[in-house]
Amino acid sequence: MSTKVSDHILERLREWGVEHVFGYPGDGINGLLAAWGRAEDRPRFIQSRHEEMSAFQAVGYAKFSGRIGVCAATSGPGAIHLLNGLYDAKLDHVPVLAIVGQTHRTAMGGSYQQEVDLHTLFKDVASDFVETVTVPEQLPNVLDRAIRTAYARRCPTAVIVPGDVQELDYAAPTHEFKMVPSSLDRSAWTAIPSEESLQRAAEILNSGDKVAILAGQGAAGARAQVEQIAEVLGAGVAKALLGKDVLSDELPYVTGAIGLLGTRPSYELMRDCDTLLTIGSSFPYTQFLPDFGKARGVQIDIDPHMVGMRYPYEVNLVGDAKETLSRLIPMIRGEERGREWYETVCDNVRHWREVMERRAQLSADPINPEYVARALDPLLPDGAIVTSDSGSVANWYARHLTMRPGMRASLSGTLATMGCGVPYAIGAKFAHPDRPVFALVGDGAMQMNGLAELITAAKYQDRWEDKRLVVGVWNNHDLNQVTWEMRAMEGAPSFLPSQELPDVQYAAFARSLGLTGVRVEKPEDVEAGWRAGLEADGPAVIEFLTDPAVPPIPPHATWEQMEATAASILKGDADRGSMVKQGFKAKLQEFLPGHERK
């Protein structure tokens, strides 16, 4: 039997080390599906319930494996469905390849069924590389460039293959005019700043007395170097949400997340520092960085396109974080630095941890959502992988989960799209089938995508060595994050027709699939609920009935701001009484002595 173009696509993916392709079938990729049958499902085709979920699973796989995530979809409707997940990859700088079908060449341009101008469709999301294969000889170069570009630029790329091209006999490019050969090798490379720029950066860092470090996902490969430079500088380290797992939260000078979902010590670190070192982060919210003119700044980023645009840095070091820090650290003079700033940072971190413990212990109706995350924290096994969805649950994920060495965590950091938590977790399970995975999801995101993807988890659980995939659902019958944003930013009460959610029986749905499902209705049962998920012999859904009136208070909120918010709420919010009470109770915890509990 001759080798078809579709056969060669799968062969080339195998040669690139691709082990899984996340996709959904359709007649636009029938030729590929037939090739998968001939190839005995290598690489393995992982079927989601929706193409958007395939793209999210590819993103989660790439985030947690460090390898390219690959997704596949049919033409027209399937390709369109991929977009949100691909934009998530683009904005979070994740290597993902989309392989997409198209109508036959003979029908293109004829307004044929399911025909969409895919080049225009993908022009933005796959702007670094999108190409259509029209003849077999074109294939290896297009596919290789798509994969190399995705890796090198940490971005999504797209390869479009018309249905009839998939069925053609494969022919390699020849040694002739206007033929483009290709090769597989992708040697490692490292970007390093110039010696002169390193010296200028060292001068700035050495001149500072109160140094703050902001670490993002670009610092992930430089954990030891970030720790070393922080300790030499006597600096505090705040983390962008995408960098939550780059440094252990057990270190006394790690202040935790930064921004609206961040911590008070991170806010204080940026407010009071005189020098800022940003490593591998494009954190966009300038108001949470030092006031302009108050702090000198140095940035390290591997992408010259992303430097110098979030803060008026004096030196922008373009280079790999590990290699750049390794060259910068010997230039830092740590022995001349006092310890007062370092001790202040550590004291602020200790106080915040006490505050968060007290907030989690506050009574609520029926369960305090902060307590749900707090109870999980000490139960997380070594090597656990945690995904968070967007929404109010991301606040509790950011503030209450302690990252330890070896643990991994991520969320949709830049797009902040809903519905990624469960498919991310499924992608993580295929990346690390021997590790337990936890998805923290609100009821809105669970209704949007999570329920359907439980079917995917049930379908594939036998392929995972460690079958534990624990989905925690915060069920408060409210699209809570947007509700609070309306209150705080618009001064408007909750608009129930848009915000109120039906009460879905998430645990019961899980049980209908043969999975473990536990519904927790009382605070005293929260820990037992998490333990049931940990002890399950397969995927589990632990559903917690939580109080929507518990506010995700920003770290910089003052009493005056809270009073103003309360005044706007009292205009007529359906939940105004309990909400105001919970808000003031939570804020009060910052001012209580460390030994008190309420």
Side-chain angles (χ1 to χ4, degrees), residues 21 34 37 59 68 135 141 151 176 183 213 221 223 258 273 385 405 413-414 420 432 463 469 563 566:
V21 176
V59 175
I68 192 170
V135 294
N141 179 65
Y151 271 124
E176 294 179 15
S183 57
I213 295 175
R223 180 188 300 268
I258 187 175
C273 71
I385 298 173
T414 312
C420 65
H432 298 284
R463 296 196 182 184
L469 193 167
E563 288 169 356

Side-chain angles (χ1 to χ4, degrees), residues 19 39 57 108 127 229 239 245 283 341 423 451 458 462 497 526 581 589:
E19 297 176 351
Q57 286 160 15
M108 288 173 65
S127 56
I229 198 167
K239 298 186 289 187
D245 61 0
F283 176 75
W341 169 248
L451 284 169
D462 290 340
V526 168
K581 177 182 176 183
Q589 305 313 305

